[in-house]
């Protein structure tokens, strides 16, 4: 088996070829990749069946098995997603600013690819195709290290994608799947800071902490989403309830699901009983502070741990306070810098909430579940960053590029006095 | 002495206060900081004299002593630079994009401060004031760790700046100078990834490698500037000579000075003798490849090490090749991703050069010495990045911020089918 350093070097060389591709060439490649997935459907589904077999033998639960399962329809969805990436605007070469300096030099800021991106992820095999497509569209090569539980599916998908590269006379190393699943191989990969430009880990907090602790390559990550919704006074309580139900119940395992409800005391007596009833009807368990339990006595008591928790489940922590400033203090203490929501009818309260909080996404009178690359108009999402560097919040194609400087002049110099007299 | 973790925590809390300041408040603070430096001139110059005394006792050379020396005029320059930062546009709160989604939510991308920035630097004491001013203007707090050789100057400057914070009722910890100069204290600081948002090391390659190897906090850095100028055919050789002299001689110790001249064989026989003569007149030593030595026989022979070297001195490596593609190959092999220049009269050659190279700054018919935040119109420069993440090339105030999402809606949800019927 080729060592990971050699694989990464080949991928880095391939990155130069990908960076040089025109938009049309990249889009044709993505279409060919989609067709290759369709052509290989039988092989990929058979590989996926082997992964599921292994997982069942290990005693995996049915929800987990379902997440990993591919069928004809889901695989078609993966292929269609590649065609959607082909349809997105190409960020590479975009001129974000252009201006002349007083000395006449013309300066442009132009987006260029990052280079070589390593994706380290768990479980769902569609990430293999999605991440490869987004990295390539933004002019990058990618090293993919998926989880052992999807290794057969990932290998079959990568083989199809690489065939499309080969048939386009491009180096297959532009999509490199790491088949050596030892932990020390990840460790070596994330320390190749002379070869790899960025690592994006996606998965459980354990995986992400492992990568963040040991990487020498820059890491963009988010650990968790402890998203808050603050129900202010005055506010439309019907609207607040809609946002609460959508935020908590529409996909509780998503990182943009609500974990904590904060309420203004002036509306809590009216709102909380309604909210508890509506959420319990939908199977949500609530855990409240003393003030909320004074309003709804049968709430289970919440502890500090509840306010720090990302439940990823039908559980919601509740806290009633004196109003906006207490809500801001609570969020500043417990925030995961992911997404915070205020429901209010007072525009000045909304502005104060937006200004005081520094989370990646702040919503006024909208559901936390819009904190998603697709919903926010990025076209797709390679990940979410809760660290304030390079990218903050949902990351689309632009986040896989960086702006550089291109300068055009007519012989301008800084120190004309140094020059030779004209000959 | 307070531990570095405690100091960093205080600085992080102070960052929240700085982030909340209006543009006017920040500008008034910068003006007050400039006035404080002027008021403390005698104290600062006396402290600087003690640093120079210690350096002389250690046997420091005169060039090094001069770099560290402050006098009334230089200190005035430092104060004036703070006022220039006050006059720059405030990046915080800038809305870089705003659009509506089909469901009616309004999305804005808004610049926010990074949070807490650690600067680790050597030698020149003006960095203490410059870095503090830029970090504050962009809404951040800063931890400054200057070199032991400027510790008295840095302490006196920081004391003046902190007095201005105190008199504005702001936490002094927003500008925290680390006076504990042990290496293990830097080590602890750059591993505080739960507290510090970014580390910017500035200084020699040894310092930067130490920080990059041991940091768990994200690092933005550049190791060195091996800047190339390629003289193409056809081209205006007088213009090429002007750019060469300016690039090599106007400040050889700068990272944007030229280190290698690449020449097209079709012009080398004419250009190289002129270039060698003009550069030797200015004290430059040249080292050439076999083809350049066939044209100018008394050139010292260049080795691969010469092409990889950042001389920071009046030395230039020379290589003659078959033209554009060979020049691109040479640069791809030896680039430090800093700045590359092409001098050409052929627009298609210029475009090929720009597209093929991925360095932070690419110049067409302009001096490498314009690769500088001030010259490129950023207003000031906190550092230069040669890593393609967050910022690439000279970094101004914007590079000390990141874009986040602010969303305003009217109760939009993702899954209306989940909601309770209206009551």
């Amino acid at each position: 088996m080729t060592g990971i350093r050699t694989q990464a070097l080949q991928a880095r060389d391939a990155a130069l070829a990908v960076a040089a591709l025109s938009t049309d060439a990249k889009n044709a490649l993505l279409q060919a990749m989609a067709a290759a997935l369709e052509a290989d459907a039988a092989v990929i589904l058979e590989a996926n069946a082997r992964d599921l077999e292994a997982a069942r033998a290990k005693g995996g639960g049915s929800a987990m098995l379902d997440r990993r399962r591919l069928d004809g329809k889901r695989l078609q969805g993966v292929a269609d997603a590649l065609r959607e990436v082909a349809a997105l605007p190409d960020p590479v070469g975009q001129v974000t600013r252009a201006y002349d300096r007083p000395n006449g030099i013309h300066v442009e800021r132009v987006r260029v690819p990052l280079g070589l991106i390593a994706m380290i992820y768990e479980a769902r095999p569609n990430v293999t195709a999605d991440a490869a497509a987004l990295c390539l569209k933004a002019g990058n090569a990618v090293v993919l290290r998926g989880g052992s539980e999807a290794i057969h599916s990932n290998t079959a998908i990568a083989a199809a994608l690489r065939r499309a590269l080969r048939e386009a006379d491009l180096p297959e190393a532009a999509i490199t799947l790491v088949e050596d699943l030892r932990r020390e191989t990840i460790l070596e990969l994330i320390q190749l800071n002379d070869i790899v430009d960025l690592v994006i880990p996606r998965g459980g907090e354990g995986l992400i902490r492992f990568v963040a602790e040991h990487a020498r390559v820059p890491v963009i990550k988010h650990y968790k989403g402890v998203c808050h919704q603050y129900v202010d006074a005055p506010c439309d309580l019907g609207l607040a309830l809609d946002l609460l139900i959508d935020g908590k119940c529409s996909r509780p395992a998503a990182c943009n699901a609500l974990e904590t409800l904060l309420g203004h005391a002036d509306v809590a007596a009216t709102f909380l009983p309604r909210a508890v009833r509506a959420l319990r009807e939908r199977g949500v368990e609530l855990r409240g502070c003393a003030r909320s339990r004074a309003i709804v006595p049968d709430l289970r008591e919440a502890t500090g741990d509840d306010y720090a928790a990302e439940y990823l489940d039908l559980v919601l922590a509740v806290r009633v306070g004196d109003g906006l400033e207490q809500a801001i203090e609570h969020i500043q203490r417990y925030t995961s810098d992911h997404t915070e929501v205020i429901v209010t009818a007072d525009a000045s309260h909304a502005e104060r909430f937006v200004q005081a909080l520094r989370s990646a996404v702040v919503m006024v009178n909208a559901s936390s579940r819009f904190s998603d690359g697709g919903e926010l108009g990025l076209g797709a999402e390679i990940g979410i960053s809760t660290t304030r560097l390079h990218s903050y919040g949902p990351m689309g194609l632009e986040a896989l590029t960086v702006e550089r400087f291109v300068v055009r002049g007519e012989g301008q110099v800084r120190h004309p006095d140094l020059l030779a007299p004209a000959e």
Side-chain angles (χ1 to χ4, degrees), chain A:
Chain A
M1 199 179 287
T2 315
I4 188 71
R5 185 180 174 86
T6 304
Q7 282 192 295
L9 280 170
Q10 290 167 347
R12 186 187 61 178
D13 289 346
L16 284 175
V18 177
L21 292 176
S22 69
T23 301
D24 286 348
K26 288 187 285 192
N27 293 345
L29 178 63
L30 290 165
Q31 297 284 354
M33 282 164 51
L37 287 181
E38 290 166 348
D40 285 9
V43 176
I44 294 168
L45 295 181
E46 191 272 330
N48 184 247
R50 272 185 287 154
D51 284 330
L52 294 182
E53 188 59 37
R56 259 189 299 268
K58 278 193 187 169
S62 66
M64 186 267 284
L65 286 173
D66 184 62
R67 268 212 312 283
R68 293 184 197 167
R69 192 174 55 82
L70 287 174
D71 55 25
K73 194 175 153 212
R74 285 186 179 180
L75 187 59
Q76 188 59 55
V78 176
D80 290 344
L82 298 198
R83 297 195 173 97
E84 284 167 25
V85 174
L88 292 175
D90 186 347
V92 176
Q94 279 180 357
V95 177
T96 58
R97 268 163 290 188
Y99 49 91
D100 291 318
R101 296 287 301 153
N103 61 4
I105 60 171
H106 180 72
V107 181
E108 289 182 352
R109 302 292 298 270
V110 184
R111 283 193 200 285
V112 289
L114 296 179
L116 176 59
I117 296 167
M119 293 287 308
I120 298 176
Y121 54 101
E122 290 171 335
R124 286 190 293 169
N126 63 302
V127 174
T128 302
D130 290 351
L134 291 167
C135 288
L136 257 68
K137 175 81 183 221
N140 304 286
V142 65
V143 173
L144 299 160
R145 198 288 192 185
S148 59
E149 65 287 350
I151 183 67
H152 297 106
S153 313
N154 290 339
T155 304
I157 290 170
L161 303 180
R162 286 162 65 95
R163 192 173 69 245
L165 284 167
R166 196 165 65 237
E167 289 173 357
D169 280 327
L170 289 164
E172 289 180 55
I175 299 174
T176 293
L177 182 75
V178 180
E179 295 181 49
D180 171 359
L181 297 178
R182 291 172 305 161
R183 207 149 226 227
E184 55 263 41
T185 304
I186 298 190
L187 202 59
E188 194 179 345
L189 174 63
I190 65 180
Q191 300 199 335
L192 296 173
N193 58 334
D194 52 337
I195 305 173
V196 181
D197 294 287
L198 172 64
V199 179
I200 303 177
R202 278 175 60 174
E205 203 175 334
L207 170 75
I208 295 171
R209 291 213 179 267
F210 175 80
V211 171
E213 298 238 318
H214 296 97
R216 287 202 190 149
V217 175
V219 181
I220 293 187
K221 61 184 179 290
H222 85 281
Y223 290 119
K224 55 184 186 173
V226 181
C227 305
H228 299 83
Q229 176 169 316
Y230 166 59
V231 177
D232 189 35
C235 108
D236 176 334
L237 297 183
L239 191 150
L241 187 60
D242 287 351
L243 297 179
L244 180 63
I245 292 170
D246 192 64
K248 183 68 248 181
C249 306
S250 64
R251 203 175 140 207
C255 61
N256 58 15
L258 290 177
E259 306 293 2
T260 301
L261 168 68
L262 301 171
H264 190 304
D266 290 356
V267 297
T270 315
F271 182 67
L272 209 50
R274 277 176 69 183
V276 170
R277 192 167 57 242
L279 290 173
R280 283 182 174 163
E281 281 171 9
R282 289 161 181 81
V284 178
E285 179 198 332
L286 293 103
R287 302 180 188 171
C289 65
R291 289 174 78 171
S292 52
R293 293 170 73 230
I295 299 167
V296 183
D298 65 344
L299 281 185
R300 177 173 155 181
E301 189 172 352
T303 67
D305 284 353
D306 281 303
Y307 297 123
E310 182 185 34
Y311 296 119
L312 297 173
D313 202 352
L314 288 172
V315 182
L316 184 74
V318 180
R319 193 167 185 186
V320 172
D322 291 333
L324 182 62
E325 296 305 322
Q326 272 197 8
I328 288 170
E329 275 168 37
H330 177 100
I331 295 172
Q332 283 175 339
R333 174 158 176 202
Y334 291 103
T335 185
S336 58
D337 283 335
H338 194 297
T339 299
E340 326 297 351
V341 178
I342 182 171
V343 192
T344 185
D346 184 319
S348 71
H349 289 191
E351 281 320 295
R352 167 70 187 146
F353 188 85
V354 169
Q355 296 307 322
L357 297 175
R358 303 194 301 160
S359 300
V361 184
V362 181
M363 305 270 183
V364 178
N365 297 333
S367 170
S368 67
R369 298 271 293 114
F370 291 120
S371 187
D372 166 276
E375 295 294 329
L376 292 175
L378 307 186
E381 182 179 295
I382 187 91
I384 290 185
S385 169
T386 58
T387 48
R388 279 185 295 277
L389 203 75
H390 184 72
S391 191
Y392 195 34
M395 298 163 63
L397 285 172
E398 269 183 24
L400 300 174
T401 67
V402 69
E403 291 176 48
R404 68 155 176 184
F405 295 85
V406 176
V407 179
R408 293 180 177 85
E410 294 155 330
Q412 286 88 343
V413 297
R414 274 182 80 167
H415 291 281
D417 49 304
L418 283 177
L419 304 181
E423 291 182 24

